[in-house]
Amino acid sequence: MTTIFIISAPSGSGKSTLVSRVMDQEPNLKFSISYTTRKPRGNEVEGVNYHYISREEFELRLAGNEFLEHADVFGNYYGTHMSELEKARLGGYDLVLDIDVQGARQLKDRIPDAVSIFILPPSRAELEKRLRARGEDSEEVIQRRLREAAEEIRNYGRYDYVLVNDQVGESSSNLAGIVRGERVRRVRMEERIAPILETFE
Ligand code: ADP
Ligand code: 5GP
């Protein structure tokens, strides 16, 4: 049984940092590679960070119902392809989806037992500091991200878990704790339990 972990956060909260730590720590967990119409940034690689496609191709795939969820984020399309979930089910691993609040909502409606996690920065000032420290964005982009963050964080109430990313070590161990805890929920253990019970018959 594949468990989907949805992670959303305003840009600069530390989502990538926490996700990469937890992926290193937890076995059998893979990152879902989305399709996007935005251009690759910096050292991003096709098929590793995203699958980069044109708007035309995205719209064709959308019309063909190929996406589990999709959204228009800052003027670009982003979507999770059905095949990511199919591959995970066949391969017997869990999936981490880094998607925005619109996509998270669609996915929860479609797959209610997906686990959703919202990452909050400790404060606006700290978020601003992290965006600057990352050194990726112009002043204009930083100001835009801060405005967007104010909107995005209003959606925290739709998520199952909220992590305040203050100390990175504590946040990543809490994230790993969520993954481990969710993995041993009874509904997800049934396949393992059945053969154990058989040994008692
Ligand atoms: P996101 O993926 O949410 O946009 P990043 O993981 O790129 O964010 O983190 C933004 C910046 O903040 C990076 O420079 C990162 O090293 C730093 N950072 C992440 N988590 C913390 C933390 N808990 N405390 C201080 N700095 C952090
Ligand atoms: P970025 O362009 O900075 O990589 O991502 C911008 C936003 O798009 C982030 O909030 C990220 O979570 C979101 N995003 C990335 N992939 C997907 C996806 O497949 N679906 C949705 N709905 N959002 C995505």
Side-chain angles (χ1 to χ4, degrees):
M1 177 175 196
T2 290
T3 302
I4 296 178
F5 294 95
I6 301 168
I7 309 197
S8 305
S11 179
S13 315
K15 179 175 55 181
S16 316
T17 307
L18 298 180
V19 166
S20 82
R21 281 188 170 221
V22 88
M23 307 275 286
D24 288 346
Q25 280 172 33
E26 293 301 311
N28 242 21
L29 193 59
K30 287 196 186 166
F31 186 73
S32 162
I33 301 162
S34 298
Y35 280 71
T36 182
T37 60
R38 83 151 165 76
K39 299 278 172 283
R41 279 197 298 248
N43 47 14
E44 288 183 352
V45 177
E46 159 62 36
V48 175
N49 304 89
Y50 284 103
H51 296 292
Y52 303 92
I53 58 172
S54 65
R55 285 189 84 83
E56 294 69 33
E57 185 178 346
F58 197 101
E59 280 163 3
L60 270 176
R61 289 181 181 274
L62 191 57
N65 281 325
E66 290 184 34
F67 296 110
L68 208 50
E69 64 72 36
H70 75 282
D72 186 326
V73 189
F74 320 137
N76 284 303
Y77 285 129
Y78 293 82
T80 306
H81 201 267
M82 293 282 192
S83 63
E84 287 291 321
L85 183 56
E86 285 157 13
K87 280 188 287 178
R89 284 181 171 153
L90 282 172
Y93 56 84
D94 294 335
L95 267 187
V96 173
L97 267 61
D98 168 349
I99 61 176
D100 85 319
V101 293
Q102 308 166 68
R105 203 165 162 179
Q106 291 169 40
L107 209 91
K108 266 291 214 184
D109 286 346
R110 201 156 177 175
I111 305 178
D113 79 9
V115 179
S116 60
I117 304 151
F118 196 86
I119 299 172
L120 271 179
S123 65
R124 185 186 187 279
E126 180 60 26
L127 180 62
E128 185 168 358
K129 207 166 118 192
R130 288 183 193 169
L131 285 168
R132 290 192 199 288
R134 192 166 65 177
E136 261 181 22
D137 304 320
S138 64
E139 184 56 33
E140 190 193 330
V141 172
I142 290 176
Q143 293 308 324
R144 195 192 71 200
R145 292 203 192 283
L146 288 169
R147 283 195 301 275
E148 282 155 2
E151 285 296 314
E152 284 164 358
I153 61 172
R154 288 161 48 175
N155 293 285
Y156 79 90
R158 300 182 191 281
Y159 287 71
D160 299 316
Y161 295 92
V162 176
L163 279 180
V164 177
N165 182 21
D166 194 350
Q167 299 303 318
V168 73
E170 189 187 343
S171 305
S172 55
S173 84
N174 283 340
L175 184 55
I178 294 168
V179 170
R180 287 190 205 143
E182 286 291 340
R183 281 177 160 176
V184 292
R185 285 186 93 104
R186 181 175 41 79
V187 286
R188 300 198 173 98
M189 292 292 288
E190 297 292 1
E191 273 171 41
R192 249 191 100 185
I193 294 168
I196 296 173
L197 296 191
E198 270 170 31
T199 68
F200 286 87
E201 275 162 16

